[in-house]
Amino acid sequence: MSTSSATTVDAKSATSDAGSVEVPATPTQLLIGGEWRDPLSSGPSVTLPVNDPATGGVIADVADAAPDDAEAAVDAAAAAFTSWSSTSPRQRGELLRSAFDLLVAQADEFAAVITREMGKPLDESRAEVRYGAEFLRWYAEEAVRATGTARTAPDGAALHVTIRQPVGPSLLITPWNFPLAMVTRKVAPALAAGCTVVVKPAEETPLTALMFAELLREVGVPPGVVNVLTTSRPGQVVARILADRRIRKLSFTGSTEVGRTLLAASANGVLRTSMELGGNAPFLVFDDADVESAIEGAVTAKLRNGGQSCVAANRFIVDRRVADDFVAGLAERLAAQKIGSGFDPATTLGPMINVKQRDRAIALVRAAVADGATPVLLDAVEAGTAFLPPVLLNDVNPDGAIAKQEIFAPVAPIYLFDSEDEALRLASDTEAGLVGFIYSRDAARLMRAATALECGMVGLNRGLVSDASAPFGGTKHSGLGREGSEAGLHEYLETKYISHPFSAV
Ligand code: NAD
């Protein structure tokens, strides 16, 4: 069965706690070749439930794609590639600019859907919409700036010209923690470059991605340029797509574990890959830091998105001489958080994505305490809910599991150090290499430490680095490639070198 207008679901009607907030209806079908349609083989009865993190209740059922649907999506992306890649950069840029304008106009509606399916407080969802929209504006501007080069060969016999061309139909896989921004961060540069895409959003948060796909349709993105598959079987569906020789690129944001598997699966097709994987960010506080400002930055770096961010501060590495002040101030700020539904205007910390993720974080905390950490904030938790009040642990053993893994929760472990060398050694003692934060009033020390940290991004005296105009990405096991800035566009472009003999001019 296929329909050209979306079957929608009113996510509010299925739940109780949206209060007076209007949660708009979103599409629930697959978007393939410009049409909203049910899965090919299974019909509308095969669906994937979407849960409210605050209550666990089902808020929507979306289409559950099978591998055959994946093939149909690749057919559509491949068919649209020839015409889309030959549109002018200005045309593509103006469509992205229209998408930016419409997204900004619909910011409240998108924020409500993000809070509904992901749980974060509405203000944070609005901030995600602003952040996510910036990728559309940035790449609307970058679409016309994919420059090439020309150089006379050293022997003077030829002109070497390079041009940039779209890499081809691309598969974009996104996680649940930023249901909109992780999609726009990939779709905007891909479309700007002239690529067509198949988007596979996370099972937990498909509604925002579907709503965004409808927005792109509304502003006139042609059929087949953006296709969306929601599925409960990401392994099977993605395997089918990666085995298809028409797909030339994989851009993945998610866990390092799944990223490794996908890198291996991309080897057969020798795909271009961009990998935005897990982090384990150190947050260094030196004895010459402005401690008040460090506490402020720590709250942002820890609690943004409820701690469920790849750039969340995962290890607070603090000079023993300022640790008492830092810990006391951070404890006060964490204890003051108001925990509740993201729709309650008083809430500053919503539920985690689900009970499983919360209980995983609790297990890490228990192990750290058993290993000698001093609990500073450790409230009792209610079984069977996804809510977790902030946890603060002092003097944590840097060899424990909590230091090695991404906590992905509002849990702040403090590690103490006595010298700059020790701090830098602890900071880079991890497989991850995404981001680091450094607090100090000494400019030379800031640059020394920023240069030494083994990671792709560093925040100096600030707890937030994400910006559409900056190259976001990691080193080591945190990934390959960059998103945002002009670098994000190059992830979707191939360089072609053309040698032109002067004798032929
Ligand atoms: P995840 O790896 O479990 O899932 C991410 C995506 O991969 C989802 O769409 C999922 O359906 C899909 N997936 C899962 N198994 C798959 C398989 N076998 N084959 C193909 N696709 C598969 O990650 P998550 O729990 O959704 O997200 C949290 C992780 O994402 C964290 O590790 C976080 O650090 C990371 N993340 C990284 C960045 C970054 O830019 N570096 C940004 C946000 C999140």
Side-chain angles (χ1 to χ4, degrees):
M1 187 185 106
S2 96
T3 58
S4 57
S5 66
T7 296
T8 58
V9 64
D10 179 348
K12 185 185 173 192
S13 64
T15 60
S16 54
D17 79 338
S20 59
V21 176
E22 202 56 47
V23 183
T26 71
T28 57
Q29 293 167 292
L30 309 176
L31 181 63
I32 296 178
E35 293 196 333
W36 291 105
R37 57 199 232 188
D38 293 321
L40 282 173
S41 48
S42 31
S45 61
V46 176
T47 53
L48 161 68
V50 184
N51 297 101
D52 177 354
T55 64
V58 175
I59 53 172
D61 288 293
V62 299
D64 190 2
D68 284 353
D69 301 302
E71 189 160 337
V74 176
D75 288 347
F81 179 69
T82 309
S83 57
W84 179 248
S85 59
S86 45
T87 53
S88 72
R90 180 68 79 201
Q91 256 178 299
R92 300 197 294 269
E94 284 180 353
L95 275 175
L96 289 171
R97 175 68 205 206
S98 301
F100 167 78
D101 291 338
L102 190 55
L103 182 53
V104 169
Q106 295 180 358
D108 284 347
E109 289 88 334
F110 271 88
V113 172
I114 293 172
T115 291
R116 160 57 65 236
E117 65 177 349
M118 190 272 165
K120 71 179 95 175
L122 261 184
D123 273 353
E124 281 203 60
S125 294
R126 290 192 190 101
E128 179 181 344
V129 176
R130 287 193 295 276
Y131 173 53
E134 283 306 326
F135 290 99
L136 298 167
R137 175 152 66 176
W138 177 262
Y139 287 107
E141 295 158 349
E142 284 297 292
V144 294
R145 312 210 194 293
T147 54
T149 60
R151 163 187 298 147
T152 301
D155 65 6
L159 185 66
H160 293 170
V161 175
T162 61
I163 60 169
R164 295 249 164 71
Q165 294 179 303
V167 62
S170 303
L171 171 61
L172 315 180
I173 304 178
T174 57
W176 50 262
N177 60 347
F178 291 94
L180 177 70
M182 296 302 98
V183 175
T184 58
R185 199 163 80 169
K186 296 186 190 305
V187 168
L191 266 51
C195 294
T196 55
V197 301
V198 176
V199 182
K200 213 260 357 119
E203 301 85 301
E204 295 86 347
T205 57
L207 300 176
T208 309
L210 293 168
M211 189 172 168
F212 177 63
E214 177 60 16
L215 179 149
L216 293 177
R217 246 170 55 114
E218 271 175 56
V219 300
V221 171
V225 172
V226 174
N227 307 277
V228 184
L229 294 172
T230 50
T231 180
S232 65
R233 291 159 282 181
Q236 291 172 33
V237 164
V238 166
R240 175 73 74 93
I241 299 176
L242 293 180
D244 194 311
R245 290 294 172 263
R246 294 171 295 175
I247 288 288
R248 294 307 319 139
K249 158 101 196 171
L250 166 65
S251 178
F252 172 76
T253 297
S255 59
T256 299
E257 187 190 356
V258 173
R260 277 196 192 98
T261 312
L262 294 178
L263 271 174
S266 302
N268 273 340
V270 193
L271 297 188
R272 282 277 299 275
T273 56
S274 302
M275 293 276 153
E276 297 287 355
L277 309 178
N280 183 353
F283 185 107
L284 300 170
V285 184
F286 286 102
D287 62 334
D288 53 11
D290 174 341
V291 173
E292 277 309 309
S293 150
I295 292 164
E296 190 64 39
V299 172
T300 304
K302 186 69 255 182
L303 290 189
R304 176 170 171 257
N305 227 39
Q308 302 168 114
S309 159
C310 55
V311 288
N314 209 53
R315 294 168 297 142
F316 291 94
I317 301 176
V318 183
D319 190 307
R320 203 179 290 277
R321 286 164 289 193
V322 292
D324 287 351
D325 288 349
F326 180 79
V327 171
L330 186 56
E332 197 179 312
R333 295 291 301 275
L334 296 183
Q337 297 303 311
K338 170 85 175 61
I339 294 144
S341 157
F343 288 108
D344 180 342
T347 294
T348 57
L349 183 62
M352 289 183 58
I353 188 69
N354 54 39
V355 179
K356 189 172 162 216
Q357 286 295 325
R358 187 202 69 159
D359 289 352
R360 183 190 151 272
I362 291 173
L364 283 174
V365 168
R366 291 207 173 114
V369 172
D371 211 13
T374 307
V376 180
L377 279 183
L378 185 54
D379 292 343
V381 290
E382 201 183 323
T385 88
F387 289 97
L388 179 61
V391 175
L392 180 58
L393 303 176
N394 199 2
D395 202 3
V396 179
N397 179 350
D399 295 323
I402 199 166
K404 307 293 172 200
Q405 292 181 31
E406 199 174 22
I407 307 169
F408 237 59
V411 173
I414 311 271
Y415 303 86
L416 303 175
F417 70 84
D418 295 300
S419 70
E420 184 175 315
D421 280 354
E422 186 188 5
L424 294 177
R425 190 181 45 72
L426 280 173
S428 292
D429 183 19
T430 164
E431 288 183 339
L434 192 57
V435 66
F437 303 96
I438 309 170
Y439 276 76
S440 166
R441 285 196 183 91
D442 178 342
R445 169 178 266 168
L446 285 172
M447 282 314 288
R448 196 163 59 235
T451 308
L453 284 190
E454 295 172 359
C455 59
M457 301 175 284
V458 182
L460 300 183
N461 293 326
R462 59 186 313 221
L464 185 64
V465 295
S466 306
D467 187 310
S469 67
F472 188 106
T475 60
K476 295 161 72 176
H477 294 202
S478 288
L480 299 169
R482 295 293 180 267
E483 291 190 318
S485 79
E486 67 279 11
L489 187 66
H490 293 163
E491 300 284 318
Y492 294 92
L493 291 168
E494 296 281 17
T495 297
K496 180 181 280 175
Y497 146 59
I498 304 168
S499 181
H500 197 311
F502 278 123
S503 59
V505 174

PDB file of all heavy atoms in Angstrom, residues 92 146-147 164-167 189 192-195 249 272 486 488-495:
ATOM      1  N   ARG A  92      20.222  24.149  -4.472  1.00  0.00           N
ATOM      2  CA  ARG A  92      20.269  23.287  -3.271  1.00  0.00           C
ATOM      3  C   ARG A  92      20.369  24.151  -2.022  1.00  0.00           C
ATOM      4  O   ARG A  92      19.715  23.895  -1.010  1.00  0.00           O
ATOM      5  CB  ARG A  92      21.450  22.312  -3.366  1.00  0.00           C
ATOM      6  CG  ARG A  92      21.376  21.394  -4.576  1.00  0.00           C
ATOM      7  CD  ARG A  92      22.298  20.193  -4.452  1.00  0.00           C
ATOM      8  NE  ARG A  92      23.703  20.512  -4.440  1.00  0.00           N
ATOM      9  CZ  ARG A  92      24.495  20.570  -5.527  1.00  0.00           C
ATOM     10  NH1 ARG A  92      23.985  20.323  -6.733  1.00  0.00           N
ATOM     11  NH2 ARG A  92      25.779  20.841  -5.409  1.00  0.00           N
ATOM     12  N   ALA A 146      31.919  25.085  -2.488  1.00  0.00           N
ATOM     13  CA  ALA A 146      32.757  23.891  -2.629  1.00  0.00           C
ATOM     14  C   ALA A 146      33.797  24.160  -3.704  1.00  0.00           C
ATOM     15  O   ALA A 146      33.578  23.902  -4.884  1.00  0.00           O
ATOM     16  CB  ALA A 146      31.902  22.682  -2.992  1.00  0.00           C
ATOM     17  N   THR A 147      34.910  24.702  -3.287  1.00  0.00           N
ATOM     18  CA  THR A 147      35.895  25.161  -4.270  1.00  0.00           C
ATOM     19  C   THR A 147      36.816  24.025  -4.713  1.00  0.00           C
ATOM     20  O   THR A 147      37.033  23.053  -3.997  1.00  0.00           O
ATOM     21  CB  THR A 147      36.774  26.264  -3.667  1.00  0.00           C
ATOM     22  OG1 THR A 147      37.322  25.767  -2.451  1.00  0.00           O
ATOM     23  CG2 THR A 147      35.984  27.523  -3.397  1.00  0.00           C
ATOM     24  N   ARG A 164      35.324  19.227  -7.171  1.00  0.00           N
ATOM     25  CA  ARG A 164      34.672  18.438  -6.119  1.00  0.00           C
ATOM     26  C   ARG A 164      33.327  17.954  -6.615  1.00  0.00           C
ATOM     27  O   ARG A 164      32.534  18.739  -7.136  1.00  0.00           O
ATOM     28  CB  ARG A 164      34.490  19.308  -4.877  1.00  0.00           C
ATOM     29  CG  ARG A 164      35.820  19.727  -4.273  1.00  0.00           C
ATOM     30  CD  ARG A 164      35.988  19.028  -2.946  1.00  0.00           C
ATOM     31  NE  ARG A 164      37.353  19.042  -2.421  1.00  0.00           N
ATOM     32  CZ  ARG A 164      37.964  20.114  -1.943  1.00  0.00           C
ATOM     33  NH1 ARG A 164      37.375  21.287  -1.981  1.00  0.00           N
ATOM     34  NH2 ARG A 164      39.163  20.017  -1.434  1.00  0.00           N
ATOM     35  N   GLN A 165      33.066  16.660  -6.448  1.00  0.00           N
ATOM     36  CA  GLN A 165      31.811  16.078  -6.914  1.00  0.00           C
ATOM     37  C   GLN A 165      31.162  15.265  -5.800  1.00  0.00           C
ATOM     38  O   GLN A 165      31.877  14.694  -4.961  1.00  0.00           O
ATOM     39  CB  GLN A 165      32.096  15.160  -8.111  1.00  0.00           C
ATOM     40  CG  GLN A 165      32.605  15.923  -9.318  1.00  0.00           C
ATOM     41  CD  GLN A 165      32.907  15.007 -10.487  1.00  0.00           C
ATOM     42  OE1 GLN A 165      33.712  14.082 -10.353  1.00  0.00           O
ATOM     43  NE2 GLN A 165      32.289  15.261 -11.616  1.00  0.00           N
ATOM     44  N   PRO A 166      29.825  15.218  -5.796  1.00  0.00           N
ATOM     45  CA  PRO A 166      29.150  14.478  -4.722  1.00  0.00           C
ATOM     46  C   PRO A 166      29.543  13.006  -4.727  1.00  0.00           C
ATOM     47  O   PRO A 166      29.685  12.397  -5.788  1.00  0.00           O
ATOM     48  CB  PRO A 166      27.664  14.658  -5.026  1.00  0.00           C
ATOM     49  CG  PRO A 166      27.604  15.155  -6.433  1.00  0.00           C
ATOM     50  CD  PRO A 166      28.892  15.840  -6.733  1.00  0.00           C
ATOM     51  N   VAL A 167      29.717  12.440  -3.542  1.00  0.00           N
ATOM     52  CA  VAL A 167      30.202  11.066  -3.439  1.00  0.00           C
ATOM     53  C   VAL A 167      29.172  10.054  -3.932  1.00  0.00           C
ATOM     54  O   VAL A 167      29.529   9.006  -4.459  1.00  0.00           O
ATOM     55  CB  VAL A 167      30.678  10.776  -1.995  1.00  0.00           C
ATOM     56  CG1 VAL A 167      29.556  10.905  -0.986  1.00  0.00           C
ATOM     57  CG2 VAL A 167      31.315   9.416  -1.869  1.00  0.00           C
ATOM     58  N   PRO A 189      24.617  18.849   5.038  1.00  0.00           N
ATOM     59  CA  PRO A 189      25.799  18.823   4.170  1.00  0.00           C
ATOM     60  C   PRO A 189      25.658  17.840   3.008  1.00  0.00           C
ATOM     61  O   PRO A 189      26.175  18.094   1.911  1.00  0.00           O
ATOM     62  CB  PRO A 189      26.936  18.408   5.119  1.00  0.00           C
ATOM     63  CG  PRO A 189      26.275  17.760   6.281  1.00  0.00           C
ATOM     64  CD  PRO A 189      24.931  18.438   6.406  1.00  0.00           C
ATOM     65  N   ALA A 192      23.582  19.593   0.430  1.00  0.00           N
ATOM     66  CA  ALA A 192      24.353  20.723  -0.117  1.00  0.00           C
ATOM     67  C   ALA A 192      25.369  20.217  -1.140  1.00  0.00           C
ATOM     68  O   ALA A 192      25.583  20.830  -2.182  1.00  0.00           O
ATOM     69  CB  ALA A 192      25.052  21.474   1.008  1.00  0.00           C
ATOM     70  N   ALA A 193      25.969  19.067  -0.857  1.00  0.00           N
ATOM     71  CA  ALA A 193      27.000  18.507  -1.744  1.00  0.00           C
ATOM     72  C   ALA A 193      26.409  17.902  -3.010  1.00  0.00           C
ATOM     73  O   ALA A 193      27.131  17.658  -3.975  1.00  0.00           O
ATOM     74  CB  ALA A 193      27.791  17.437  -0.986  1.00  0.00           C
ATOM     75  N   GLY A 194      25.098  17.616  -3.003  1.00  0.00           N
ATOM     76  CA  GLY A 194      24.475  17.000  -4.173  1.00  0.00           C
ATOM     77  C   GLY A 194      24.239  15.509  -4.003  1.00  0.00           C
ATOM     78  O   GLY A 194      23.967  14.801  -4.977  1.00  0.00           O
ATOM     79  N   CYS A 195      24.339  15.021  -2.767  1.00  0.00           N
ATOM     80  CA  CYS A 195      24.081  13.590  -2.509  1.00  0.00           C
ATOM     81  C   CYS A 195      22.602  13.374  -2.200  1.00  0.00           C
ATOM     82  O   CYS A 195      21.950  14.249  -1.623  1.00  0.00           O
ATOM     83  CB  CYS A 195      24.898  13.110  -1.304  1.00  0.00           C
ATOM     84  SG  CYS A 195      26.667  13.141  -1.593  1.00  0.00           S
ATOM     85  N   LYS A 249      28.431   5.838   0.518  1.00  0.00           N
ATOM     86  CA  LYS A 249      28.888   6.540   1.710  1.00  0.00           C
ATOM     87  C   LYS A 249      28.037   6.143   2.905  1.00  0.00           C
ATOM     88  O   LYS A 249      26.824   5.991   2.788  1.00  0.00           O
ATOM     89  CB  LYS A 249      28.736   8.046   1.445  1.00  0.00           C
ATOM     90  CG  LYS A 249      28.646   8.919   2.666  1.00  0.00           C
ATOM     91  CD  LYS A 249      29.955   9.582   2.941  1.00  0.00           C
ATOM     92  CE  LYS A 249      30.000  10.145   4.349  1.00  0.00           C
ATOM     93  NZ  LYS A 249      31.300  10.613   4.735  1.00  0.00           N
ATOM     94  N   ARG A 272      33.108   5.360   1.584  1.00  0.00           N
ATOM     95  CA  ARG A 272      33.542   6.512   2.367  1.00  0.00           C
ATOM     96  C   ARG A 272      32.771   6.434   3.681  1.00  0.00           C
ATOM     97  O   ARG A 272      31.554   6.206   3.679  1.00  0.00           O
ATOM     98  CB  ARG A 272      33.156   7.811   1.645  1.00  0.00           C
ATOM     99  CG  ARG A 272      34.059   8.191   0.489  1.00  0.00           C
ATOM    100  CD  ARG A 272      35.324   8.919   0.946  1.00  0.00           C
ATOM    101  NE  ARG A 272      35.098  10.166   1.632  1.00  0.00           N
ATOM    102  CZ  ARG A 272      34.915  11.352   1.041  1.00  0.00           C
ATOM    103  NH1 ARG A 272      34.940  11.444  -0.261  1.00  0.00           N
ATOM    104  NH2 ARG A 272      34.713  12.447   1.752  1.00  0.00           N
ATOM    105  N   GLU A 486      33.205  23.773   7.054  1.00  0.00           N
ATOM    106  CA  GLU A 486      33.395  23.346   5.657  1.00  0.00           C
ATOM    107  C   GLU A 486      33.830  21.886   5.618  1.00  0.00           C
ATOM    108  O   GLU A 486      33.581  21.172   4.636  1.00  0.00           O
ATOM    109  CB  GLU A 486      34.400  24.250   4.925  1.00  0.00           C
ATOM    110  CG  GLU A 486      35.833  24.170   5.406  1.00  0.00           C
ATOM    111  CD  GLU A 486      36.093  25.005   6.656  1.00  0.00           C
ATOM    112  OE1 GLU A 486      35.112  25.482   7.289  1.00  0.00           O
ATOM    113  OE2 GLU A 486      37.264  25.177   7.005  1.00  0.00           O
ATOM    114  N   GLY A 488      32.543  19.426   7.155  1.00  0.00           N
ATOM    115  CA  GLY A 488      31.354  18.569   7.075  1.00  0.00           C
ATOM    116  C   GLY A 488      30.880  18.390   5.648  1.00  0.00           C
ATOM    117  O   GLY A 488      30.360  17.328   5.273  1.00  0.00           O
ATOM    118  N   LEU A 489      31.045  19.416   4.827  1.00  0.00           N
ATOM    119  CA  LEU A 489      30.655  19.315   3.412  1.00  0.00           C
ATOM    120  C   LEU A 489      31.594  18.358   2.675  1.00  0.00           C
ATOM    121  O   LEU A 489      31.163  17.544   1.854  1.00  0.00           O
ATOM    122  CB  LEU A 489      30.713  20.710   2.774  1.00  0.00           C
ATOM    123  CG  LEU A 489      30.193  20.827   1.351  1.00  0.00           C
ATOM    124  CD1 LEU A 489      28.688  20.570   1.304  1.00  0.00           C
ATOM    125  CD2 LEU A 489      30.496  22.217   0.782  1.00  0.00           C
ATOM    126  N   HIS A 490      32.885  18.444   3.010  1.00  0.00           N
ATOM    127  CA  HIS A 490      33.875  17.611   2.305  1.00  0.00           C
ATOM    128  C   HIS A 490      33.665  16.122   2.569  1.00  0.00           C
ATOM    129  O   HIS A 490      34.102  15.285   1.776  1.00  0.00           O
ATOM    130  CB  HIS A 490      35.294  18.042   2.694  1.00  0.00           C
ATOM    131  CG  HIS A 490      35.616  19.416   2.185  1.00  0.00           C
ATOM    132  ND1 HIS A 490      36.649  20.166   2.651  1.00  0.00           N
ATOM    133  CD2 HIS A 490      35.001  20.176   1.247  1.00  0.00           C
ATOM    134  CE1 HIS A 490      36.664  21.335   2.029  1.00  0.00           C
ATOM    135  NE2 HIS A 490      35.678  21.358   1.178  1.00  0.00           N
ATOM    136  N   GLU A 491      32.974  15.791   3.666  1.00  0.00           N
ATOM    137  CA  GLU A 491      32.672  14.375   3.938  1.00  0.00           C
ATOM    138  C   GLU A 491      31.791  13.774   2.838  1.00  0.00           C
ATOM    139  O   GLU A 491      31.706  12.560   2.702  1.00  0.00           O
ATOM    140  CB  GLU A 491      31.962  14.223   5.282  1.00  0.00           C
ATOM    141  CG  GLU A 491      32.772  14.718   6.481  1.00  0.00           C
ATOM    142  CD  GLU A 491      33.881  13.771   6.905  1.00  0.00           C
ATOM    143  OE1 GLU A 491      33.638  12.556   6.931  1.00  0.00           O
ATOM    144  OE2 GLU A 491      34.995  14.257   7.213  1.00  0.00           O
ATOM    145  N   TYR A 492      31.087  14.653   2.100  1.00  0.00           N
ATOM    146  CA  TYR A 492      30.156  14.169   1.063  1.00  0.00           C
ATOM    147  C   TYR A 492      30.644  14.495  -0.345  1.00  0.00           C
ATOM    148  O   TYR A 492      29.889  14.428  -1.312  1.00  0.00           O
ATOM    149  CB  TYR A 492      28.763  14.778   1.290  1.00  0.00           C
ATOM    150  CG  TYR A 492      28.160  14.282   2.577  1.00  0.00           C
ATOM    151  CD1 TYR A 492      28.331  14.989   3.758  1.00  0.00           C
ATOM    152  CD2 TYR A 492      27.463  13.076   2.616  1.00  0.00           C
ATOM    153  CE1 TYR A 492      27.817  14.521   4.959  1.00  0.00           C
ATOM    154  CE2 TYR A 492      26.945  12.599   3.799  1.00  0.00           C
ATOM    155  CZ  TYR A 492      27.129  13.323   4.968  1.00  0.00           C
ATOM    156  OH  TYR A 492      26.624  12.844   6.137  1.00  0.00           O
ATOM    157  N   LEU A 493      31.914  14.881  -0.452  1.00  0.00           N
ATOM    158  CA  LEU A 493      32.466  15.252  -1.763  1.00  0.00           C
ATOM    159  C   LEU A 493      33.706  14.415  -2.055  1.00  0.00           C
ATOM    160  O   LEU A 493      34.509  14.148  -1.153  1.00  0.00           O
ATOM    161  CB  LEU A 493      32.865  16.737  -1.765  1.00  0.00           C
ATOM    162  CG  LEU A 493      31.713  17.749  -1.717  1.00  0.00           C
ATOM    163  CD1 LEU A 493      32.241  19.150  -1.425  1.00  0.00           C
ATOM    164  CD2 LEU A 493      30.925  17.745  -3.029  1.00  0.00           C
ATOM    165  N   GLU A 494      33.829  14.034  -3.313  1.00  0.00           N
ATOM    166  CA  GLU A 494      35.073  13.421  -3.784  1.00  0.00           C
ATOM    167  C   GLU A 494      35.883  14.488  -4.497  1.00  0.00           C
ATOM    168  O   GLU A 494      35.324  15.382  -5.135  1.00  0.00           O
ATOM    169  CB  GLU A 494      34.784  12.317  -4.809  1.00  0.00           C
ATOM    170  CG  GLU A 494      34.014  11.126  -4.295  1.00  0.00           C
ATOM    171  CD  GLU A 494      34.882  10.151  -3.527  1.00  0.00           C
ATOM    172  OE1 GLU A 494      35.993  10.520  -3.111  1.00  0.00           O
ATOM    173  OE2 GLU A 494      34.417   9.018  -3.338  1.00  0.00           O
ATOM    174  N   THR A 495      37.200  14.381  -4.414  1.00  0.00           N
ATOM    175  CA  THR A 495      38.056  15.282  -5.178  1.00  0.00           C
ATOM    176  C   THR A 495      38.447  14.580  -6.473  1.00  0.00           C
ATOM    177  O   THR A 495      38.945  13.448  -6.441  1.00  0.00           O
ATOM    178  CB  THR A 495      39.335  15.606  -4.376  1.00  0.00           C
ATOM    179  OG1 THR A 495      38.931  16.292  -3.186  1.00  0.00           O
ATOM    180  CG2 THR A 495      40.281  16.496  -5.170  1.00  0.00           C
TER     181      THR A 495
END
